[in-house]
Amino acid sequence: MVEMPKTYKDLPSTPITFFTTEDNKTGTWRTIRPVIDKEKCTRCYICWKFCPDLSIEVEKEGDYPSVDYDHCKGCGICANECPSDAITMEKEMGK
Ligand code: SF4
Ligand code: SF4
């Protein structure tokens, strides 16, 4: 049976990562991705407001929002909060 570490001192001395999420492409953790339907989008930016990961981007007021897929984790909050049902969560096809 594998012995579980009791403190961090029982683990290798190297950190898990040397980079912040700004550099790490944490979007690779995602299994489903938000896809925005511009036909339905009213540009209310509620998705932008609710995203806990700053992964909804709006270049300037009046533009359609887009998703930063390098960092979006696929939590689905944006799709849940969109009042126009303009965001669907689609399965990642695996890359
Ligand atoms: S919440 Fe929905 S309708 Fe509003 S900007 Fe985002 S995608 Fe568009
Ligand atoms: S799925 Fe989650 S992390 Fe990705 S854009 Fe929507 S709210 Fe943000």
Side-chain angles (χ1 to χ4, degrees):
M1 195 164 95
V2 178
E3 201 170 317
M4 296 296 287
K6 292 190 175 55
T7 79
Y8 76 95
K9 290 177 181 169
D10 298 327
L11 295 168
S13 59
T14 53
I16 298 298
T17 180
F18 290 99
F19 305 101
T20 66
T21 51
E22 197 172 343
D23 298 311
N24 271 340
K25 302 283 190 270
T26 48
T28 57
W29 303 352
R30 196 180 51 242
T31 55
I32 49 174
R33 63 166 49 203
V35 176
I36 299 172
D37 181 348
K38 288 184 181 173
E39 297 287 315
K40 291 184 180 174
C41 178
T42 60
R43 290 168 279 180
C44 68
Y45 308 135
I46 287 175
C47 53
W48 169 80
K49 185 76 176 174
F50 273 89
C51 176
D53 204 32
L54 282 179
S55 292
I56 297 279
E57 298 175 329
V58 179
E59 197 78 12
K60 62 178 183 322
E61 186 106 29
D63 285 356
Y64 287 100
S66 61
V67 180
D68 169 8
Y69 289 117
D70 282 344
H71 297 97
C72 161
K73 312 289 189 303
C75 69
I77 291 173
C78 54
N80 194 59
E81 297 298 332
C82 173
S84 304
D85 284 332
I87 304 177
T88 52
M89 300 302 293
E90 298 184 3
K91 199 171 173 194
E92 288 288 348
M93 297 312 284
K95 289 181 221 153

